[in-house]
């Protein structure tokens, strides 16, 4: 993703920060409209809903399980989003990409839909619900160049509104050295986790291992349900008396990441340590506040 400085404007049509939001980069022709599901009728009354559009239906659970996305395109948002509202239960918000100059065509939309699905799958941050995703549509070279610029803009706007669908969870740490890695271990080896503290939270890296069984004190609690959801969604899999992370997974806090591995309540700021044995708290919080 292009990391050059950008000016992004967010407009609130009804004045509420939790209502419909319209985001745009001031020098680009497209805008992204963030629509809470409850306010779908309000959006469908807006003139922007009458355009050809690329859209993303998203859910972002608070329980640590993976967010979901469905990508679509249409020239009839009222009908298509109405169908999704009545037939798809999972989504909480619709993010709709349209042109401020009404210049988005069906050919643009088809290519953008395909590009979005492929990039989202490669990033692996959201579970996509698009099935096969289709084949690459034929797109003339000049139009494809336009699409790629629109796609870049759309990705930046999605991330700004809290949905970095196209960005891997460890994107900003691929070149991190050993000092950026933190470990969560037990003496008997039943827990052996590795992770990275990022600006979004704490990422437990693939192949990290934890205990399969929960301690009795969290049986029937939200922590136990949270760990089971990680297994059910395929983030972790069971191997013998352990669970193994199948892929990198972002947690909102170091403590929820530690709970996932230990199967008990845990203070992740203390449990996660670097190679020198310094706690995450000492490295990331005390170093700043000291």
């Amino acid at each position: 993703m292009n990391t050059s400085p950008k000016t992004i404007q967010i407009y609130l049509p009804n004045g509420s920060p939790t209502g419909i939001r319209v985001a745009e980069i001031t020098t680009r022709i497209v805008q992204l409209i963030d629509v809470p599901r409850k306010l779908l009728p309000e959006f469908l009354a807006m003139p922007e809903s009458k355009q050809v559009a690329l859209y993303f239906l998203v859910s972002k659970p608070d329980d640590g399980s993976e967010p979901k996305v469905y990508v679509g395109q249409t020239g009839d948002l009222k009908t298509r989003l109405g169908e999704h509202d009545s037939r798809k239960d999972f989504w909480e918000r619709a993010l709709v990409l349209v042109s401020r100059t009404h210049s988005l065509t069906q050919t643009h939309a088809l290519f953008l839909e395909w590009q979005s699905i492929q990039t989202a799958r490669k990033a692996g941050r959201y579970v996509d619900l698009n099935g096969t995703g289709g084949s690459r549509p034929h797109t003339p070279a000049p139009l494809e160049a336009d699409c790629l610029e629109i796609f870049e803009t759309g990705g930046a706007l999605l991330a700004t509104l809290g949905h970095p669908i196209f960005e891997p969870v460890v994107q900003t740490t691929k070149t991190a050295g050993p000092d950026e890695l933190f470990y969560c271990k037990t003496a008997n080896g039943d827990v052996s986790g590795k992770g990275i503290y990022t600006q979004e939270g704490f990422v437990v890296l693939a192949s990290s291992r934890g205990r399969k069984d929960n301690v009795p004190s969290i049986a029937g609690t939200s922590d136990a349900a949270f760990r089971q959801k990680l297994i059910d969604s395929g983030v972790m899999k069971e191997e013998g008396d352990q669970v193994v992370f199948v892929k990198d997974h972002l947690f909102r806090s170091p403590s929820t990441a530690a709970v996932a591995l230990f199967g008990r309540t845990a203070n992740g700021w203390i449990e996660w340590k670097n190679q020198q044995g310094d706690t995450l708290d000492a490295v990331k919080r005390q170093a700043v506040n000291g």
Side-chain angles (χ1 to χ4, degrees):
M1 180 178 173
N2 188 337
T3 56
S4 61
K6 299 173 180 66
T7 298
I8 293 177
Q9 175 178 287
I10 298 178
Y11 170 60
L12 309 176
N14 61 11
S16 172
T18 59
I20 294 174
R21 299 180 293 171
V22 183
E24 60 186 51
I25 295 178
T26 53
T27 57
R28 306 287 176 87
I29 66 166
V30 296
Q31 57 186 193
L32 187 76
I33 306 171
D34 178 11
V35 185
R37 187 167 186 166
K38 183 179 179 180
L39 298 181
L40 183 60
E42 183 177 323
F43 166 69
L44 295 178
M46 294 169 59
E48 289 85 352
S49 71
K50 309 303 187 290
Q51 298 186 44
V52 172
L54 174 74
Y55 63 86
F56 305 83
L57 306 179
V58 297
S59 70
K60 209 168 184 181
D62 293 325
D63 59 10
S65 57
E66 291 186 292
K68 298 180 177 66
V69 63
Y70 177 87
V71 184
Q73 58 78 31
T74 183
D76 185 357
L77 278 167
K78 184 173 183 179
T79 298
R80 187 65 61 85
L81 292 183
E83 291 173 349
H84 291 322
D85 190 34
S86 61
R87 298 176 185 176
K88 286 181 168 44
D89 294 331
F90 80 93
W91 63 281
E92 301 158 356
R93 313 185 79 87
L95 297 125
V96 183
L97 187 74
V98 297
S99 167
R100 292 194 289 117
T101 59
H102 296 255
S103 57
L104 203 65
T105 68
Q106 203 75 45
T107 305
H108 286 102
L110 285 167
F111 181 88
L112 288 166
E113 178 187 43
W114 175 84
Q115 179 75 10
S116 296
I117 293 169
Q118 305 312 311
T119 308
R121 287 179 175 172
K122 185 176 180 181
R125 180 186 285 258
Y126 282 58
V127 176
D128 87 86
L129 304 178
N130 278 88
T132 61
S135 58
R136 181 187 181 106
H138 172 71
T139 311
L143 195 147
E144 182 173 323
D146 289 343
C147 287
L148 292 175
E149 181 176 330
I150 293 169
F151 177 77
E152 179 192 328
T153 302
L157 295 175
L158 282 166
T160 298
L161 293 179
H163 295 279
I165 294 169
F166 306 136
E167 301 177 20
V169 294
V170 290
Q171 166 179 286
T172 59
T173 53
K174 285 183 178 178
T175 59
D179 290 343
E180 290 300 310
L181 294 173
F182 290 85
Y183 303 86
C184 200
K185 299 179 179 179
T186 55
N188 65 2
D190 60 348
V191 174
S192 179
K194 182 165 67 173
I196 301 172
Y197 183 57
T198 76
Q199 61 188 9
E200 295 182 79
F202 197 91
V203 177
V204 175
L205 300 179
S207 300
S208 293
R209 291 180 171 268
R211 296 174 179 140
K212 174 183 173 182
D213 296 329
N214 299 317
V215 298
S217 61
I218 72 164
T221 69
S222 59
D223 282 340
F226 151 71
R227 295 190 82 226
Q228 187 59 49
K229 284 186 177 180
L230 292 174
I231 294 170
D232 293 343
S233 65
V235 175
M236 303 191 307
K237 67 176 180 179
E238 297 177 348
E239 284 190 2
D241 59 358
Q242 290 184 305
V243 289
V244 181
F245 274 76
V246 175
K247 58 182 179 178
D248 303 336
H249 186 71
L250 173 66
F251 293 91
R252 294 191 179 183
S253 76
S255 293
T256 53
V259 169
L261 290 166
F262 281 114
R264 60 168 171 78
T265 56
N267 181 346
W269 291 99
I270 303 302
E271 301 286 3
W272 291 100
K273 299 176 182 179
N274 64 13
Q275 280 186 325
Q276 291 73 42
D278 302 316
T279 66
L280 181 62
D281 179 66
V283 175
K284 297 296 184 180
R285 294 202 297 193
Q286 293 180 27
V288 172
N289 298 325

